[in-house]
């Protein structure tokens, strides 16, 4: 296939995501496999509807028990590290992330070097007591040992460096432990890949996860320093080796890269409400190009500056992003509240669309363990 239409590309990209448009229940193994298929799943602390990773996973896996992700982290089947942002990652990819782990924290610089005594005390405490959260190190009272801020920074820096890992969560608070007690040794002791192997694997994983990406989108998937310039020669080598294929698009803009065996088309059906941090919407330029959808995340804006609401989930209907739902979970009352729904320009309200939205709301309510929807 030489050139594809935007419609073919859009249908293929949506179908590739594996959204569930009917209610179902998933197991821990399904969660692991979905993270593997997506390559990584972004974490975010906002819980207005639910944590973003839970929305991303339930939109594909279906309902799964609370605490599943924490147990998978503790069992060394997933780990957390920096990918697109802080993400859940399948554990077999640990050796590739070892290449980017460093003692210099991206925000605080060489804090481990500046705080050697505190660093050693943190490590020794965890070595002796097992997994601990930042709260175990905060304040000055009989149950803790030093001020919160420096210890928290050291914990985060040790995690970034791969000298600690996340061994589960209590609520959303991380529990830190030593890698050798969590990560299976077959991955922990695996050699660090060389540059070519690292970037080829990165590009291939990104494309297989998303279905189709531009060169810039491949770099954006993992926030590669140096962006397209760095990944370009490795993408070309994957094309030469017939692992990826370059496909021209009818709009004449940047070509996309797809797995060599891909058939660029699909027949997505039904409707699904997706997280504002879903993998589908990471590349905003590409999203606007193939969907005509300008993605906005307004949680960080002041209320008068918001157009659509505080925590807004795009509504995917078939192969189009047709609207935005401003939602909030009231867990005390067991209610999923839709505060507003905004149709996209040129999208007509219809009975079929209303029914698809109603079913998507009901499905989201059920996978989050709520009891009813209020509109």
């Amino acid at each position: 296939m030489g050139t594809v239409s935007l419609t073919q590309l859009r249908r293929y990209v949506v179908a590739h995501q594996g959204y569930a448009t009917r209610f179902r229940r998933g197991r821990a193994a399904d969660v692991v496999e979905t993270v593997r298929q997506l390559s990584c799943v972004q974490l975010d602390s906002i819980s207005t509807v639910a944590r973003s990773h839970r929305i991303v996973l339930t939109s594909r896996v279906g309902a799964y028990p609370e605490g599943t992700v924490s147990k998978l982290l503790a069992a060394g089947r997933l780990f957390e590290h920096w990918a697109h942002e802080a993400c859940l990652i399948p554990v077999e990819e640990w050796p590739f992330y070892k290449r980017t782990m460093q003692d210099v924290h991206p925000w605080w610089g060489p804090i481990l070097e500046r705080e050697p005594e505190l660093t050693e005390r943190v490590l020794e405490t965890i070595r002796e007591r097992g997994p601990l959260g930042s709260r175990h190190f905060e304040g000055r009272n009989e149950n803790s040992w030093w001020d919160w801020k420096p210890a928290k920074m050291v914990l985060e820096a040790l995690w970034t460096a791969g000298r600690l890992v996340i061994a589960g969560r209590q609520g959303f608070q991380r529990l830190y432990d030593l890698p050798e007690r969590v990560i299976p040794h077959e991955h922990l002791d695996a050699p660090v890949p060389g540059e070519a192997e690292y970037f080829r694997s990165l590009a291939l994983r990104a494309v297989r996860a998303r279905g189709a990406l531009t060169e810039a989108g491949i770099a954006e998937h993992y926030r590669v320093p140096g962006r397209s310039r760095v990944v370009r020669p490795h993408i070309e080598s994957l094309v030469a080796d017939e692992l990826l294929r370059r496909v021209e698009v009818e709009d004449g803009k940047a070509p996309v890269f797809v797995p060599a065996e891909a058939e660029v088309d699909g027949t997505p059906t039904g409707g699904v409400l997706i997280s504002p941090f879903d993998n589908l919407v990471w590349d905003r330029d590409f999203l606007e190009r193939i969907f005509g959808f300008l993605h906005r995340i307004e949680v960080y804006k002041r209320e008068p500056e918001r157009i659509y609401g505080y925590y807004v989930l795009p509504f995917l209907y078939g192969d189009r992003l047709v609207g935005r739902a401003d939602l909030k979970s009231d867990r005390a009352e067991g209610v999923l509240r839709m505060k507003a729904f905004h149709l996209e320009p040129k999208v007509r309200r219809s009975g079929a669309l209303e029914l698809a939205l109603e079913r998507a709301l009901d499905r989201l309510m059920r996978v989050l363990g709520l009891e009813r929807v209020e509109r």
Side-chain angles (χ1 to χ4, degrees):
M1 181 181 292
T3 301
V4 298
S5 68
L6 284 174
T7 299
Q8 287 174 300
L9 180 59
R10 185 174 62 247
R11 288 173 176 168
Y12 166 70
V13 166
V14 172
H16 196 83
Q17 287 298 306
Y19 294 115
T21 55
R22 294 186 179 183
F23 180 79
R24 63 189 185 196
R25 297 190 182 278
R27 304 165 299 161
D30 300 317
V31 172
V32 173
E33 183 56 30
T34 299
V35 175
R36 185 175 292 121
Q37 289 172 357
L38 294 172
S39 77
C40 52
V41 172
Q42 184 174 341
L43 295 159
D44 189 83
S45 62
I46 301 169
S47 59
T48 302
V49 176
R51 309 289 182 190
S52 177
H53 71 274
R54 186 164 181 83
I55 302 173
V56 171
L57 291 168
T58 56
S59 68
R60 296 162 171 86
V61 171
Y64 62 86
E66 288 280 358
T68 295
V69 168
S70 184
K71 290 176 182 177
L72 291 169
L73 290 167
R77 297 178 68 186
L78 300 175
F79 72 101
E80 292 184 20
H81 216 268
W82 297 106
H84 182 75
E85 292 287 347
C87 287
L88 296 170
I89 304 164
V91 73
E92 62 267 21
E93 294 186 15
W94 174 271
F96 290 91
Y97 285 83
K98 284 165 67 175
R99 185 179 175 86
T100 61
M101 294 173 181
Q102 55 184 345
D103 286 351
V104 177
H105 194 276
W107 303 335
W108 306 311
I111 186 172
L112 303 180
E113 182 180 319
R114 293 197 306 266
E115 299 277 2
E117 293 183 7
L118 180 56
T119 296
E120 186 50 41
R121 288 169 68 191
V122 167
L123 287 169
E124 186 58 32
T125 301
I126 290 173
R127 195 175 291 121
E128 291 179 357
R129 299 188 56 184
L132 295 174
S134 61
R135 72 182 185 280
H136 296 104
F137 300 96
E138 58 187 46
R140 293 183 182 276
N141 58 52
E142 61 184 3
N143 296 315
S144 58
W145 304 278
W146 49 80
D147 289 337
W148 174 84
K149 188 173 181 180
K152 171 66 173 175
M153 292 166 68
V154 163
L155 283 166
E156 288 291 295
L158 286 167
W159 167 67
T160 297
R163 295 170 65 183
L164 291 176
V165 297
I166 310 305
R169 288 179 178 261
Q170 291 181 343
F172 198 63
Q173 187 179 67
R174 290 165 166 165
L175 296 176
Y176 300 86
D177 203 356
L178 304 176
E180 56 267 30
R181 296 203 290 229
V182 179
I183 305 297
H185 282 277
E186 62 185 290
H187 306 304
L188 193 68
D189 301 333
V192 177
E195 181 177 288
E197 182 186 0
Y198 171 76
F199 282 112
R200 279 170 58 93
S201 174
L202 177 151
L204 197 55
R205 294 199 311 268
V207 172
R208 285 177 173 167
R210 302 274 288 282
L213 285 171
T214 62
E215 185 181 88
I218 292 171
E220 170 68 9
H221 187 86
Y222 290 107
R223 298 281 170 85
V224 176
R227 301 300 172 118
S228 296
R229 174 182 56 80
V230 172
V231 299
R232 183 174 299 128
H234 304 289
I235 295 171
E236 293 300 331
S237 75
L238 289 166
V239 172
D241 290 344
E242 298 184 346
L243 294 171
L244 293 181
R245 190 170 87 249
R246 180 187 290 101
V247 176
E248 300 295 332
V249 186
E250 67 175 2
D251 65 356
K253 296 182 180 179
V256 297
F257 296 89
V258 302
E261 69 281 4
E263 293 293 332
V264 185
D265 210 335
T267 54
T269 59
V272 61
L273 289 155
I274 65 174
S275 165
F277 302 99
D278 194 282
N279 301 43
L280 178 69
V281 301
W282 282 355
D283 186 341
R284 297 194 191 187
D285 290 341
F286 192 55
L287 194 73
E288 188 172 3
R289 176 184 173 186
I290 68 171
F291 288 91
F293 187 85
L294 181 60
H295 187 40
R296 299 175 185 271
I297 297 177
E298 300 185 310
V299 293
Y300 309 111
K301 294 183 177 182
R302 295 178 299 176
E303 187 171 358
E305 298 172 339
R306 295 181 193 133
I307 299 172
Y308 301 108
Y310 179 72
Y311 200 79
V312 175
L313 277 64
F315 180 49
L316 179 70
Y317 178 50
D319 68 331
R320 302 305 299 262
L321 289 165
V322 299
R324 308 166 198 249
D326 183 11
L327 298 175
K328 180 177 175 59
S329 293
D330 185 333
R331 295 170 184 82
E333 295 189 15
V335 176
L336 177 65
R337 289 194 171 89
M338 187 167 73
K339 300 161 69 176
F341 181 73
H342 300 269
L343 277 177
E344 285 293 280
K346 301 180 181 179
V347 174
R348 292 185 178 181
R349 193 176 294 271
S350 68
L353 189 152
E354 283 290 327
L355 181 60
L357 176 60
E358 182 181 326
R359 288 174 173 171
L361 286 164
D362 181 74
R363 191 165 57 254
L364 180 60
M365 172 203 73
R366 294 177 68 188
V367 299
L368 298 182
L370 301 173
E371 297 173 1
R372 68 183 191 277
V373 175
E374 287 186 2
R375 297 181 62 173

